[in-house]
Amino acid sequence: MKIIQILSVVGVIFTSTGLISQNFTVSGTLRDSESKQSLEAATVFLETIKDSTLITYTITNQEGFFQLEGRSQTSDARVNISFLGYENFSKIVDLKQGEISLGSIDLATAANTLGEVVLKSRAPITVKKDTLEFNVSSFKTKKDANIEDLLKELPGVEVNDAGEITVNGKPVNKILVNGKPFFGDDPTIATRNLTKEIVEKIQVTDTKTDDEAFAGEDGDQENKTINLTISEEKNKGIFGRIAAGGGTDNRFEYAGILNAFDNDRRISVLGGGNNINSAGFSFGEIRKMFGGGRSVRFNSNGSFAIDGRSFGGGQGIVNSRNIGANYTDQYTEELDASMDYFYSGANAYDETIIARENILPQGRFFSNSISRSDSNGDNHNVNTELNFKKDSTLLVNIKPSFEFANSDSRYTADEESLNEMGERINQSSTINTSNLTGRNFENRLSVTKKWGDRGSYLRARVNTEYNQQKSEDFVDSSTEIFGDNPDTIIRNQFTDGSTDLENYNLNLTYRIPLVSKKLFLDLDVGHRNQNRDRKQSTFDFDEATQQYSLFNQTLSTNFESQNLSTTPEVGMNYNSKKFNANVNVGYVFKTLENKDRLRPASDIEQDFEALEFSTYINYRFSPKMSLYANLSRRNQTPKLEQLNPFVDVSDPLNITFGNPNLSPSNAYQFYAGFNNYDFQKGGGYYFNANGSITNDAVIGKTFVDENLVRTTTFDNVDGNYNVSGGGGYSKNVKIDSLRTLKYGVGAYAVINRNINFFNGVQYASNTNSITPRINVTFTWKDLFEVRPNYNISFSKTRFGIDRFEDQEFITHNLGINTALFVPKNWEWRNDINFNYNPNIQSGFQRSAWFWNTTLAYSFAKDRATTTLKVYDVLNQNTNARRTANANFIQDVQSTVLEQYIMLSFSWKFNTLGKKGETGNGGMHFF
């Protein structure tokens, strides 16, 4: 009986809000009061009279027409219309009428300045040429929401669990605060640490460099920049957070960030560390604050990089540590500067098992390997930027950066190769210990001079780079080859290596306006001079002296190389309110030279010439809809390693040498996209595609002998191409004032064709894959949120040789994320993922449920949070994966972080107040 009563109450809760809500439609047409022309892209929004709560909004179309529709529990509401350069319009309407027509509305030109109109506007969305601006106060979020939480509520904006942001399908690669960088190039440090309360506007634009923005250029059309505008009333004070946690299996984490804002001056300090593979910056993991979940790249030498910052270590279990500081200031109207220092360090270990099936025209063979890597690395990075504006016509931008890195690693591996009958053909064992030290200095200098009011400018860019690397490697290896002519190769060697690089780039651009501020002729010339000295001296171990003193010339190298190129270019650019287009044509003169000081007969010098071009168009049908496309031809000269005839036998089972007769490759590349988002209806779709066709592509040409020893050189082939594309549709449905449903569907497809050359046989491999996906989010305000998602990937590879079997793979991924916000001050989150790889061979884990759960309690006026986290609740975490390419299929499984339980505590503080003042609270705990 009690269950029936409870269900009845739940039913009443779900239906009661709908009973008192009413449907409405408000429409009208906007015109200029004098010319009677339609006004496109004006913002029209509906709000309650009582407390100005936003009900809905839209943007006028090309005919100036708008239509507001939805459901509301409020009868009386206010229609507001805001358009840059015009007086605001306001009218009270009675939503009980259902359908309301306001007819033609004439707006008069505003008497005040454009800046004042922008300042006073309360419109939720404003379209200003190439900038889309959101008014933060118009979008409701949970209490104490950060910028990432806010971005998820904005129309057309998507944020994944790693913090990666897209706007109408285009990725966001830069976050600015009041137009200035905030802690380098990691957007999540800003989005997960700045709170919604301090931000007034969010502006979305195409990504541009400082000099491109100064000169009025289009910039990067494929990436977006988000600028967070902090209101003057909240731009002075101190805020931040500290956190620490400990758990089972000796797991730990700690992190802290301190920000001091004083109007134009900003200082931020951060630090963190953990051994739970989150690269630091997690703050209890409840929302992956302070970065976390960031882009990680692993290198073959055991090192890795996070968002471009180098660490020692590799995959597996990583113990990381980080310290950083950022300083930004506007000294005068003419001079501003920013500087950041970042230290990152890590030690890691990883054990990897690989089972590979190698495909040859005459048959196949198998290889199995077990390896372990242990590493430790430290990296120091300093970046600075100075902008000097003499006046509105001259900009000088200087960006020097310094980096120092050091890493130590130890790598062991055992590998065997077997023929089709399972007979062992060769085997090897390797122990490698190495130390690597690197120093790097880069400086980018840009000087831009504008004159006149037609858009003319002259710009000079000078980029310089100096890089020095030193290495020490000890190798102890044993290689055994069986069969009719057995052989054993034993190596006990030390290699002393050094690389010195000097690189200079000079670029001059002169823009001539043909039609004022619309049509331009661009004249451009670029020159590059890169010099590299690379030396590796290998010494065998001398049993008599017990030292590495026997110079091994066969395995030693001493190269001096130069890469010279000059590219004159001419271009036409057209810019208007709706249409942008450009065409650029250049001709490349390039010289590659390599001197072998140990083998002078192997010296090479080659000259290359090639025509290059690029075109781009972008048409904006309306503020809701746009189309863009690009086509280009790029010339790629072979790498010196591919040209150099030096025979590299450092790996006895994989021998390589270059081909000095290679030709440069010519790649025809394209991309295109279309997006359409209806801000009022909260729904939209996008499509995009990109691809390339490469002539004279440089590929490896491999011969495998009867002992399964590979010898590889390089050759040119035609017929390689790659095409990928996808699309998606998303929709936000506001059921009522409490319940919201969001859903999205999409798919991504890839078509590849690669030419392969093995054992004298040339053949093609074609790989096609498609990955459809679906995701749903149901939110009940202040109660709970459920976000299921699913994708399935189909992949098929066909070979141009009849004896090769087609390869087909299917991968399933299911995710369920839940959040419960009751009782008050409590938050319970679950991240559940299931992956299934049915094609992985026996001995590897084909499927696993991966479930993390977190329970957090906030107290002390929400300034303190205690978090209990269980990682991998079911203890099934795995990273077994199958990959395939033109000549092999392999299954890989490596070390993963296993189950642990952690208790964490975090404290946040905030004294931000009005300009020239400070707020109250938050700092007494120091």
Side-chain angles (χ1 to χ4, degrees), residues 9-23 71-74 734-740 778 780-781 783:
V9 171
V10 173
V12 170
I13 293 174
F14 269 88
T15 59
S16 60
T17 56
L19 292 176
I20 61 176
S21 298
Q22 55 204 0
N23 294 319
R71 296 172 60 88
S72 177
Q73 302 168 358
T74 302
K734 189 174 182 179
I735 302 173
D736 50 44
S737 60
L738 295 177
R739 296 172 295 173
T740 303
F778 178 77
W780 190 304
K781 185 179 179 181
L783 286 181

Side-chain angles (χ1 to χ4, degrees), residues 223-385:
N223 294 284
K224 293 291 186 180
T225 290
I226 289 179
N227 180 42
L228 308 175
T229 302
I230 298 178
S231 61
E232 291 186 354
E233 291 76 15
K234 300 176 181 178
N235 202 22
K236 186 178 181 68
I238 296 175
F239 67 100
R241 178 177 296 217
I242 56 173
T248 59
D249 201 21
N250 295 319
R251 298 297 166 202
F252 67 87
E253 63 174 346
Y254 57 90
I257 182 170
L258 172 68
N259 304 280
F261 283 13
D262 186 1
N263 303 322
D264 292 328
R265 179 178 298 155
R266 300 201 313 264
I267 300 175
S268 299
V269 180
L270 61 81
N274 67 81
N275 61 356
I276 56 174
N277 286 11
S278 70
F281 318 144
S282 60
F283 282 139
E285 293 291 315
I286 187 63
R287 299 295 299 146
K288 281 188 176 290
M289 299 283 291
F290 199 41
R294 309 193 300 173
S295 171
V296 181
R297 184 187 78 252
F298 296 100
N299 305 315
S300 58
N301 64 358
S303 65
F304 69 98
I306 300 175
D307 293 324
R309 297 185 174 108
S310 298
F311 290 76
Q315 303 183 68
I317 309 300
V318 181
N319 183 330
S320 62
R321 50 203 177 268
N322 315 270
I323 300 174
N326 174 263
Y327 170 77
T328 300
D329 200 357
Q330 181 82 39
Y331 296 105
T332 66
E333 292 184 0
E334 298 178 342
L335 179 63
D336 67 76
S338 64
M339 178 185 299
D340 70 74
Y341 163 78
F342 200 89
Y343 161 76
S344 54
N347 56 284
Y349 77 89
D350 177 42
E351 294 183 348
T352 302
I353 302 173
I354 300 177
R356 175 183 290 187
E357 179 183 349
N358 302 274
I359 304 170
L360 301 175
Q362 296 81 10
R364 60 190 67 205
F365 69 96
F366 303 88
S367 57
N368 304 308
S369 68
I370 300 176
S371 63
R372 171 170 177 135
S373 64
D374 296 84
S375 57
N376 181 70
D378 298 283
N379 177 274
H380 302 265
N381 191 284
V382 178
N383 298 289
T384 60
E385 181 174 4

Side-chain angles (χ1 to χ4, degrees), residues 89-109:
F89 172 86
S90 179
K91 183 178 179 63
I92 295 176
V93 295
D94 183 3
L95 299 183
K96 290 186 294 184
Q97 296 180 17
E99 295 187 7
I100 304 170
S101 175
L102 300 181
S104 296
I105 302 172
D106 294 337
L107 292 189
T109 303

Side-chain angles (χ1 to χ4, degrees), residues 569 583-586 611-615 631-634 668:
E569 187 174 289
V583 178
N584 296 282
V585 180
L611 177 71
E612 296 185 333
F613 68 83
S614 66
T615 63
L631 175 65
S632 64
R633 182 184 192 262
R634 289 288 179 258
Y668 295 86

Side-chain angles (χ1 to χ4, degrees), residues 670-711:
F670 76 91
Y671 64 81
F674 174 83
N675 57 68
N676 184 3
Y677 196 92
D678 191 320
F679 295 100
Q680 194 276 323
K681 295 183 178 179
Y685 55 91
Y686 71 90
F687 302 99
N688 56 53
N690 64 80
S692 65
I693 300 174
T694 305
N695 294 330
D696 283 324
V698 178
I699 67 166
K701 187 176 181 180
T702 301
F703 178 80
V704 181
D705 65 16
E706 67 278 3
N707 295 317
L708 304 183
V709 176
R710 293 171 174 255
T711 301

